[in-house]
Amino acid sequence: MQVRLPDKDEITIAVTDSGLGGLSIMAEAASRLKALRPARRVRLVFFNALFSNDSGYNSLQTRAAKARVFSSALESLERLVHPDVIVIGCNTLSVIYADTAFARTSRVPVLTIVAPGVEMFRQALRHDPKATLALFGTETTIGDGAHRKALEAGGIDGRRIVTKACPELASYIESNWRGEETRFMIASYVDEALATRRRDGGPVYAGLVCTHYGYSLDSWKAAFEENG
């Protein structure tokens, strides 16, 4: 989805996430906006949609509860920030966004993060027909299956896609993305994912469909190297 920015001197773009991951998206957005210069002045705002310091959206028991809480956060964002565009810098919140009341009632354009990731994965798999894609994400993101469904709809054989939910990993990365426990957890999830893939000699692409995960990129690389 693409959004046409309003034609005015000052625009406000809000980036929202449930914690640390969205800050990397905001940093990338700031860098690109400097080059694009879509307006004389761009006000870039980070809005943390995390509802508790002790738990996140994946701790909520139902999809309806997640959508209800996120919708409330988006309503607060709109009321307080008055954005021209909202960017959801989180895969978990992106996959539940369509279920929110905000999505049905607000006229503010909203960009989610799923489609750009899917396009990157599709290009990689088409470039290398023997490759496998291992997707790592939160329980909500992997359980929703949005990335797999979109890739299969775009002509990618589902047998080339391995998915692995990584419970608690985002929380460990928030606490210490270089920590020993975080490294061990990543290594375990990579081992489990690669054990289920087709072994046809092709390369494996890692799809990190949680914006927290990139902070621990060195640990992901090390885990894949250990698996050959």
Side-chain angles (χ1 to χ4, degrees):
M1 176 184 177
Q2 293 184 338
V3 170
R4 182 181 295 276
L5 295 173
D7 185 15
K8 57 183 185 180
D9 286 343
E10 180 174 330
I11 59 175
T12 298
I13 300 174
V15 178
T16 186
D17 184 18
S18 56
L20 184 69
L23 292 173
S24 64
I25 303 300
M26 186 168 179
E28 179 70 15
S31 176
R32 296 192 184 196
L33 287 167
K34 283 183 179 180
L36 292 173
R37 296 188 178 278
R40 184 178 60 81
R41 185 169 184 266
V42 176
R43 181 172 172 246
L44 195 58
V45 178
F46 180 74
F47 189 91
N48 192 347
L50 189 64
F51 59 90
S52 169
N53 290 329
D54 301 319
S55 58
Y57 284 85
N58 288 284
S59 68
L60 298 174
Q61 295 302 306
T62 66
R63 187 181 183 91
K66 296 170 187 176
R68 185 170 58 253
V69 172
F70 186 37
S71 188
S72 178
L74 290 170
E75 290 163 8
S76 296
L77 189 165
E78 183 178 26
R79 183 178 68 255
L80 296 171
V81 179
H82 306 292
D84 295 295
V85 177
I86 295 174
V87 178
I88 302 177
C90 171
N91 285 273
T92 294
L93 298 182
S94 289
V95 300
I96 66 174
Y97 170 68
D99 292 346
T100 64
F102 186 90
R104 297 188 295 271
T105 60
S106 177
R107 301 180 69 176
V108 178
V110 175
L111 292 172
T112 71
I113 200 171
V114 172
V118 166
E119 183 56 30
M120 291 174 63
F121 304 146
R122 182 186 293 116
Q123 290 181 12
L125 292 173
R126 284 181 174 171
H127 176 74
D128 195 334
K130 292 185 177 181
T132 299
L133 173 66
L135 290 173
F136 300 88
T138 66
E139 305 99 297
T140 300
T141 299
I142 296 301
D144 180 84
H147 297 82
R148 173 188 283 277
K149 294 171 189 173
L151 287 167
E152 290 178 341
I156 301 299
D157 187 343
R159 292 174 296 178
R160 300 175 64 195
I161 305 168
V162 173
T163 59
K164 181 61 186 174
C166 306
E168 302 296 330
L169 180 55
S171 297
Y172 276 82
I173 289 174
E174 289 232 354
S175 297
N176 185 356
W177 62 76
R178 296 191 184 94
E180 186 64 32
E181 290 180 323
T182 300
R183 288 196 296 271
F184 177 78
M185 188 175 285
I186 289 172
S188 296
Y189 288 140
V190 169
D191 287 347
E192 292 169 10
L194 295 184
T196 65
R197 72 183 176 96
R198 290 194 306 174
R199 298 186 178 277
D200 56 4
V204 180
Y205 288 98
L208 307 182
V209 291
C210 173
T211 52
H212 285 66
Y213 294 178
Y215 287 97
S216 297
L217 190 58
D218 288 344
S219 295
W220 290 100
K221 289 180 177 178
F224 273 86
E225 288 171 358
E226 289 169 6
N227 278 276

